[in-house]
Amino acid sequence: MKNFFSTRRLCRAGVISALYVVLTYVFAPVAFGPLQIRPAEALCILPLFYGEAIPALFVGCALSNLISQYSVFDVLFGSLATLLAALGTYFMGRIFKKHPIRITLGGIFPVLLNALIIPVVIVIIFGDTGNYSSAVVAYFINVVTIGATECLWVYALGAPLYFLILRLRKRKLAIFL
């Protein structure tokens, strides 16, 4: 825990959180719902490098979800999904050191947790919970759509971000160390 609250780490956390919010707000009309066009999810790979990305992603997601049509449920459960995913990604980064394995396994947590948790919010808020079979079908359809879009952002945009940060760290740029 030495230097956990250094100026550099606090600034990095603030930048990560702000980037998450801005990237979500820019895509706000399509960032919420069954097809989440949310490039901010690429930032979910950052706990592989930085422990401070965990609370930063949580705060960024909570602030972003304030404008969600799913109201307080998305703020609570969406932010919780991001927090749990960030923790899982962080620990994968500590366990695995080979980059292809690290990015593959680290990215699984945001994809799976968002795909499993967010559809619950969508089905409860907008679903027909009185009809059990249609609620189950709606849940699994949302699992597939949210999982697919999350996979797109985490791997198609997050993986290049991961390798860019690796390259910048090899150049010993202070902000990325």
Side-chain angles (χ1 to χ4, degrees), residues 67-88:
I67 64 167
S68 169
Q69 68 265 34
Y70 303 110
S71 68
V72 71
F73 296 106
D74 204 8
V75 173
L76 294 174
F77 295 109
S79 303
L80 178 65
T82 298
L83 177 63
L84 294 174
L87 286 167

PDB file of all heavy atoms in Angstrom, residues 67-88:
ATOM      1  N   ILE A  67     -27.540   9.378 -15.883  1.00  0.00           N
ATOM      2  CA  ILE A  67     -28.457   9.803 -16.948  1.00  0.00           C
ATOM      3  C   ILE A  67     -29.163   8.621 -17.607  1.00  0.00           C
ATOM      4  O   ILE A  67     -29.872   8.788 -18.584  1.00  0.00           O
ATOM      5  CB  ILE A  67     -27.728  10.645 -18.016  1.00  0.00           C
ATOM      6  CG1 ILE A  67     -26.663   9.829 -18.727  1.00  0.00           C
ATOM      7  CG2 ILE A  67     -27.183  11.927 -17.420  1.00  0.00           C
ATOM      8  CD1 ILE A  67     -26.118  10.485 -19.980  1.00  0.00           C
ATOM      9  N   SER A  68     -28.992   7.447 -17.054  1.00  0.00           N
ATOM     10  CA  SER A  68     -29.605   6.249 -17.623  1.00  0.00           C
ATOM     11  C   SER A  68     -31.117   6.251 -17.417  1.00  0.00           C
ATOM     12  O   SER A  68     -31.616   6.708 -16.390  1.00  0.00           O
ATOM     13  CB  SER A  68     -29.011   5.005 -16.953  1.00  0.00           C
ATOM     14  OG  SER A  68     -29.736   3.851 -17.290  1.00  0.00           O
ATOM     15  N   GLN A  69     -31.826   5.700 -18.397  1.00  0.00           N
ATOM     16  CA  GLN A  69     -33.280   5.576 -18.259  1.00  0.00           C
ATOM     17  C   GLN A  69     -33.663   4.520 -17.222  1.00  0.00           C
ATOM     18  O   GLN A  69     -34.824   4.414 -16.856  1.00  0.00           O
ATOM     19  CB  GLN A  69     -33.941   5.261 -19.616  1.00  0.00           C
ATOM     20  CG  GLN A  69     -33.623   3.899 -20.162  1.00  0.00           C
ATOM     21  CD  GLN A  69     -32.467   3.885 -21.145  1.00  0.00           C
ATOM     22  OE1 GLN A  69     -31.521   4.650 -21.019  1.00  0.00           O
ATOM     23  NE2 GLN A  69     -32.531   3.023 -22.129  1.00  0.00           N
ATOM     24  N   TYR A  70     -32.687   3.760 -16.765  1.00  0.00           N
ATOM     25  CA  TYR A  70     -32.953   2.724 -15.762  1.00  0.00           C
ATOM     26  C   TYR A  70     -32.759   3.250 -14.344  1.00  0.00           C
ATOM     27  O   TYR A  70     -32.770   2.479 -13.390  1.00  0.00           O
ATOM     28  CB  TYR A  70     -32.079   1.505 -16.019  1.00  0.00           C
ATOM     29  CG  TYR A  70     -32.270   0.954 -17.409  1.00  0.00           C
ATOM     30  CD1 TYR A  70     -31.268   1.076 -18.370  1.00  0.00           C
ATOM     31  CD2 TYR A  70     -33.461   0.351 -17.777  1.00  0.00           C
ATOM     32  CE1 TYR A  70     -31.451   0.582 -19.648  1.00  0.00           C
ATOM     33  CE2 TYR A  70     -33.654  -0.126 -19.056  1.00  0.00           C
ATOM     34  CZ  TYR A  70     -32.640  -0.012 -19.987  1.00  0.00           C
ATOM     35  OH  TYR A  70     -32.826  -0.481 -21.254  1.00  0.00           O
ATOM     36  N   SER A  71     -32.523   4.540 -14.216  1.00  0.00           N
ATOM     37  CA  SER A  71     -32.462   5.288 -12.965  1.00  0.00           C
ATOM     38  C   SER A  71     -31.491   4.701 -11.944  1.00  0.00           C
ATOM     39  O   SER A  71     -30.412   4.258 -12.283  1.00  0.00           O
ATOM     40  CB  SER A  71     -33.865   5.446 -12.376  1.00  0.00           C
ATOM     41  OG  SER A  71     -34.396   4.230 -11.939  1.00  0.00           O
ATOM     42  N   VAL A  72     -31.924   4.740 -10.715  1.00  0.00           N
ATOM     43  CA  VAL A  72     -31.057   4.358  -9.597  1.00  0.00           C
ATOM     44  C   VAL A  72     -30.606   2.892  -9.688  1.00  0.00           C
ATOM     45  O   VAL A  72     -29.534   2.545  -9.206  1.00  0.00           O
ATOM     46  CB  VAL A  72     -31.761   4.661  -8.249  1.00  0.00           C
ATOM     47  CG1 VAL A  72     -32.904   3.702  -8.007  1.00  0.00           C
ATOM     48  CG2 VAL A  72     -30.776   4.632  -7.115  1.00  0.00           C
ATOM     49  N   PHE A  73     -31.385   2.042 -10.333  1.00  0.00           N
ATOM     50  CA  PHE A  73     -31.007   0.639 -10.461  1.00  0.00           C
ATOM     51  C   PHE A  73     -29.722   0.489 -11.282  1.00  0.00           C
ATOM     52  O   PHE A  73     -28.867  -0.325 -10.966  1.00  0.00           O
ATOM     53  CB  PHE A  73     -32.133  -0.178 -11.109  1.00  0.00           C
ATOM     54  CG  PHE A  73     -33.370  -0.227 -10.272  1.00  0.00           C
ATOM     55  CD1 PHE A  73     -34.479   0.515 -10.618  1.00  0.00           C
ATOM     56  CD2 PHE A  73     -33.413  -1.004  -9.131  1.00  0.00           C
ATOM     57  CE1 PHE A  73     -35.621   0.487  -9.839  1.00  0.00           C
ATOM     58  CE2 PHE A  73     -34.549  -1.051  -8.346  1.00  0.00           C
ATOM     59  CZ  PHE A  73     -35.653  -0.295  -8.698  1.00  0.00           C
ATOM     60  N   ASP A  74     -29.605   1.282 -12.339  1.00  0.00           N
ATOM     61  CA  ASP A  74     -28.401   1.226 -13.163  1.00  0.00           C
ATOM     62  C   ASP A  74     -27.206   1.820 -12.422  1.00  0.00           C
ATOM     63  O   ASP A  74     -26.089   1.335 -12.538  1.00  0.00           O
ATOM     64  CB  ASP A  74     -28.617   1.943 -14.496  1.00  0.00           C
ATOM     65  CG  ASP A  74     -27.691   1.445 -15.592  1.00  0.00           C
ATOM     66  OD1 ASP A  74     -26.985   0.437 -15.377  1.00  0.00           O
ATOM     67  OD2 ASP A  74     -27.687   2.050 -16.674  1.00  0.00           O
ATOM     68  N   VAL A  75     -27.453   2.875 -11.652  1.00  0.00           N
ATOM     69  CA  VAL A  75     -26.368   3.467 -10.864  1.00  0.00           C
ATOM     70  C   VAL A  75     -25.841   2.434  -9.871  1.00  0.00           C
ATOM     71  O   VAL A  75     -24.622   2.244  -9.749  1.00  0.00           O
ATOM     72  CB  VAL A  75     -26.828   4.751 -10.138  1.00  0.00           C
ATOM     73  CG1 VAL A  75     -25.742   5.266  -9.198  1.00  0.00           C
ATOM     74  CG2 VAL A  75     -27.212   5.828 -11.143  1.00  0.00           C
ATOM     75  N   LEU A  76     -26.743   1.744  -9.199  1.00  0.00           N
ATOM     76  CA  LEU A  76     -26.310   0.763  -8.193  1.00  0.00           C
ATOM     77  C   LEU A  76     -25.733  -0.501  -8.817  1.00  0.00           C
ATOM     78  O   LEU A  76     -24.588  -0.873  -8.544  1.00  0.00           O
ATOM     79  CB  LEU A  76     -27.491   0.394  -7.282  1.00  0.00           C
ATOM     80  CG  LEU A  76     -28.034   1.489  -6.389  1.00  0.00           C
ATOM     81  CD1 LEU A  76     -29.278   1.023  -5.664  1.00  0.00           C
ATOM     82  CD2 LEU A  76     -26.977   1.937  -5.403  1.00  0.00           C
ATOM     83  N   PHE A  77     -26.522  -1.161  -9.647  1.00  0.00           N
ATOM     84  CA  PHE A  77     -26.107  -2.470 -10.155  1.00  0.00           C
ATOM     85  C   PHE A  77     -25.099  -2.375 -11.300  1.00  0.00           C
ATOM     86  O   PHE A  77     -24.194  -3.215 -11.410  1.00  0.00           O
ATOM     87  CB  PHE A  77     -27.334  -3.294 -10.559  1.00  0.00           C
ATOM     88  CG  PHE A  77     -28.197  -3.633  -9.393  1.00  0.00           C
ATOM     89  CD1 PHE A  77     -29.441  -3.036  -9.241  1.00  0.00           C
ATOM     90  CD2 PHE A  77     -27.770  -4.522  -8.420  1.00  0.00           C
ATOM     91  CE1 PHE A  77     -30.240  -3.327  -8.153  1.00  0.00           C
ATOM     92  CE2 PHE A  77     -28.560  -4.823  -7.323  1.00  0.00           C
ATOM     93  CZ  PHE A  77     -29.798  -4.223  -7.191  1.00  0.00           C
ATOM     94  N   GLY A  78     -25.235  -1.367 -12.147  1.00  0.00           N
ATOM     95  CA  GLY A  78     -24.253  -1.181 -13.218  1.00  0.00           C
ATOM     96  C   GLY A  78     -22.885  -0.841 -12.662  1.00  0.00           C
ATOM     97  O   GLY A  78     -21.855  -1.367 -13.105  1.00  0.00           O
ATOM     98  N   SER A  79     -22.866   0.034 -11.656  1.00  0.00           N
ATOM     99  CA  SER A  79     -21.601   0.410 -11.018  1.00  0.00           C
ATOM    100  C   SER A  79     -21.018  -0.768 -10.238  1.00  0.00           C
ATOM    101  O   SER A  79     -19.797  -0.967 -10.228  1.00  0.00           O
ATOM    102  CB  SER A  79     -21.813   1.594 -10.086  1.00  0.00           C
ATOM    103  OG  SER A  79     -22.372   2.665 -10.804  1.00  0.00           O
ATOM    104  N   LEU A  80     -21.869  -1.548  -9.609  1.00  0.00           N
ATOM    105  CA  LEU A  80     -21.400  -2.742  -8.896  1.00  0.00           C
ATOM    106  C   LEU A  80     -20.790  -3.746  -9.867  1.00  0.00           C
ATOM    107  O   LEU A  80     -19.735  -4.333  -9.590  1.00  0.00           O
ATOM    108  CB  LEU A  80     -22.549  -3.390  -8.123  1.00  0.00           C
ATOM    109  CG  LEU A  80     -22.204  -4.681  -7.381  1.00  0.00           C
ATOM    110  CD1 LEU A  80     -21.194  -4.411  -6.285  1.00  0.00           C
ATOM    111  CD2 LEU A  80     -23.461  -5.315  -6.809  1.00  0.00           C
ATOM    112  N   ALA A  81     -21.422  -3.934 -11.016  1.00  0.00           N
ATOM    113  CA  ALA A  81     -20.873  -4.839 -12.036  1.00  0.00           C
ATOM    114  C   ALA A  81     -19.504  -4.360 -12.490  1.00  0.00           C
ATOM    115  O   ALA A  81     -18.561  -5.154 -12.643  1.00  0.00           O
ATOM    116  CB  ALA A  81     -21.825  -4.938 -13.233  1.00  0.00           C
ATOM    117  N   THR A  82     -19.356  -3.050 -12.684  1.00  0.00           N
ATOM    118  CA  THR A  82     -18.069  -2.494 -13.104  1.00  0.00           C
ATOM    119  C   THR A  82     -17.022  -2.650 -12.011  1.00  0.00           C
ATOM    120  O   THR A  82     -15.870  -2.981 -12.298  1.00  0.00           O
ATOM    121  CB  THR A  82     -18.236  -1.012 -13.497  1.00  0.00           C
ATOM    122  OG1 THR A  82     -19.141  -0.948 -14.603  1.00  0.00           O
ATOM    123  CG2 THR A  82     -16.923  -0.381 -13.878  1.00  0.00           C
ATOM    124  N   LEU A  83     -17.402  -2.438 -10.771  1.00  0.00           N
ATOM    125  CA  LEU A  83     -16.467  -2.602  -9.653  1.00  0.00           C
ATOM    126  C   LEU A  83     -15.981  -4.041  -9.551  1.00  0.00           C
ATOM    127  O   LEU A  83     -14.777  -4.299  -9.446  1.00  0.00           O
ATOM    128  CB  LEU A  83     -17.125  -2.165  -8.343  1.00  0.00           C
ATOM    129  CG  LEU A  83     -16.281  -2.353  -7.079  1.00  0.00           C
ATOM    130  CD1 LEU A  83     -15.021  -1.497  -7.138  1.00  0.00           C
ATOM    131  CD2 LEU A  83     -17.109  -2.015  -5.843  1.00  0.00           C
ATOM    132  N   LEU A  84     -16.908  -4.995  -9.591  1.00  0.00           N
ATOM    133  CA  LEU A  84     -16.520  -6.412  -9.515  1.00  0.00           C
ATOM    134  C   LEU A  84     -15.661  -6.814 -10.709  1.00  0.00           C
ATOM    135  O   LEU A  84     -14.676  -7.560 -10.562  1.00  0.00           O
ATOM    136  CB  LEU A  84     -17.768  -7.292  -9.431  1.00  0.00           C
ATOM    137  CG  LEU A  84     -18.610  -7.139  -8.163  1.00  0.00           C
ATOM    138  CD1 LEU A  84     -19.890  -7.949  -8.278  1.00  0.00           C
ATOM    139  CD2 LEU A  84     -17.812  -7.540  -6.929  1.00  0.00           C
ATOM    140  N   ALA A  85     -16.009  -6.305 -11.886  1.00  0.00           N
ATOM    141  CA  ALA A  85     -15.230  -6.609 -13.090  1.00  0.00           C
ATOM    142  C   ALA A  85     -13.820  -6.038 -12.977  1.00  0.00           C
ATOM    143  O   ALA A  85     -12.840  -6.698 -13.339  1.00  0.00           O
ATOM    144  CB  ALA A  85     -15.933  -6.046 -14.323  1.00  0.00           C
ATOM    145  N   ALA A  86     -13.709  -4.811 -12.477  1.00  0.00           N
ATOM    146  CA  ALA A  86     -12.399  -4.182 -12.323  1.00  0.00           C
ATOM    147  C   ALA A  86     -11.537  -4.955 -11.326  1.00  0.00           C
ATOM    148  O   ALA A  86     -10.325  -5.133 -11.546  1.00  0.00           O
ATOM    149  CB  ALA A  86     -12.559  -2.734 -11.886  1.00  0.00           C
ATOM    150  N   LEU A  87     -12.146  -5.433 -10.255  1.00  0.00           N
ATOM    151  CA  LEU A  87     -11.395  -6.254  -9.283  1.00  0.00           C
ATOM    152  C   LEU A  87     -10.910  -7.553  -9.920  1.00  0.00           C
ATOM    153  O   LEU A  87      -9.757  -7.951  -9.740  1.00  0.00           O
ATOM    154  CB  LEU A  87     -12.263  -6.550  -8.055  1.00  0.00           C
ATOM    155  CG  LEU A  87     -12.468  -5.381  -7.101  1.00  0.00           C
ATOM    156  CD1 LEU A  87     -13.588  -5.696  -6.114  1.00  0.00           C
ATOM    157  CD2 LEU A  87     -11.177  -5.056  -6.374  1.00  0.00           C
ATOM    158  N   GLY A  88     -11.785  -8.222 -10.657  1.00  0.00           N
ATOM    159  CA  GLY A  88     -11.385  -9.459 -11.337  1.00  0.00           C
ATOM    160  C   GLY A  88     -10.281  -9.223 -12.345  1.00  0.00           C
ATOM    161  O   GLY A  88      -9.313  -9.990 -12.432  1.00  0.00           O
TER     162      GLY A  88
END
